[in-house]
Amino acid sequence: IHKFDRRLQNFESRFDQVTTEDGRSLTVSIFSGWRVQEPRLFHQRFKGSFVRAKDNLEDLVRNAQAMVLAQYKFQDLVSTHRSQIKLETIESQILETVRSDSQVQGFGISVDLLGFKRIGLPESITAKVFDRMKAERMRDVKILESEGESEAIRIRAEADRKRQQILADAQAQATVIEGQGEAEAA
């Protein structure tokens, strides 16, 4: 007699690099919940080993995610507009693909849930993104510096003009006072 645990089993795939329809690379990790559905098939296929079943299921998930994600653009996964994101649709397509493949191959399991755990960018792309962000920040810094410099020039010119005005007024007053003093002395 072979007894199998029919409770929900889970696994998380390692980060895999996939390419979207528009040629962008992503790293994706997927979680899945599955259980033994048909014990006889499960025993024949995997000799009762949950580890073997998990390894085979992970291969199915990896193939399904690559196939499904190749049909979608990068903006369908990552976007600033919530309405453009199609994660639920993509997850359900991957789930259906994995379900049908596991039935075709006679795994004796049912995949009950599947979803994205993490979506990221490869390190090479991340470095490019950070470089681009630095370049944008440096451009903003240069714009602010030039605006500050032009404001400084305007302030200095205004101060010089006021200084010249004050000196001219003082010189005129000095001449008037000097003239009055000479008149009184004479």
Side-chain angles (χ1 to χ4, degrees):
I1 296 176
H2 299 279
K3 293 184 180 183
F4 299 109
D5 187 356
R6 294 192 68 176
R7 292 181 291 181
L8 191 65
Q9 307 294 315
N10 68 332
F11 88 96
E12 297 172 5
S13 67
R14 63 178 189 264
F15 267 116
D16 289 323
Q17 188 164 342
V18 294
T19 305
T20 60
E21 180 186 28
D22 51 358
R24 300 251 178 111
S25 291
L26 292 172
T27 55
V28 177
S29 175
I30 290 185
F31 68 89
S32 179
W34 61 278
R35 69 180 79 232
V36 175
Q37 184 70 28
E38 298 177 39
R40 178 177 289 179
L41 281 174
F42 183 80
H43 180 66
Q44 289 172 350
R45 176 75 182 196
F46 304 114
K47 307 290 188 248
S49 171
F50 281 79
V51 174
R52 284 186 190 169
K54 181 184 148 203
D55 291 343
N56 281 295
L57 183 60
E58 188 169 8
D59 290 340
L60 287 182
V61 169
R62 189 176 301 118
N63 292 336
Q65 81 185 8
M67 184 180 72
V68 171
L69 288 174
Q71 300 170 9
Y72 287 91
K73 295 183 178 176
F74 181 78
Q75 68 186 14
D76 295 334
L77 294 160
V78 180
S79 177
T80 55
H81 302 290
R82 192 168 186 81
S83 62
Q84 291 180 342
I85 297 176
K86 300 177 182 175
L87 285 178
E88 291 177 7
T89 305
I90 295 168
E91 288 173 344
S92 66
Q93 282 185 347
I94 295 171
L95 177 61
E96 289 305 315
T97 303
V98 169
R99 280 181 179 162
S100 66
D101 288 350
S102 68
Q103 288 176 352
V104 167
Q105 295 184 22
F107 281 10
I109 64 172
S110 71
V111 182
D112 295 339
L113 57 104
L114 184 138
F116 289 107
K117 181 175 182 190
R118 291 179 70 184
I119 298 174
L121 297 171
E123 287 185 33
S124 60
I125 293 176
T126 304
K128 289 178 186 176
V129 168
F130 284 133
D131 289 344
R132 190 178 66 214
M133 288 172 64
K134 283 180 190 177
E136 288 175 4
R137 298 295 187 265
M138 291 307 295
R139 187 174 56 240
D140 291 345
V141 165
K142 287 183 181 183
I143 289 170
L144 290 173
E145 284 177 344
S146 65
E147 288 175 357
E149 189 63 36
S150 67
E151 184 69 14
I153 290 170
R154 188 190 63 76
I155 290 171
R156 283 188 205 111
E158 180 69 22
D160 284 344
R161 187 187 61 75
K162 285 183 180 179
R163 178 179 153 263
Q164 293 295 333
Q165 181 67 34
I166 291 170
L167 285 175
D169 289 345
Q171 188 67 30
Q173 263 186 335
T175 304
V176 169
I177 292 172
E178 191 177 313
Q180 287 174 350
E182 283 181 11
E184 282 181 29

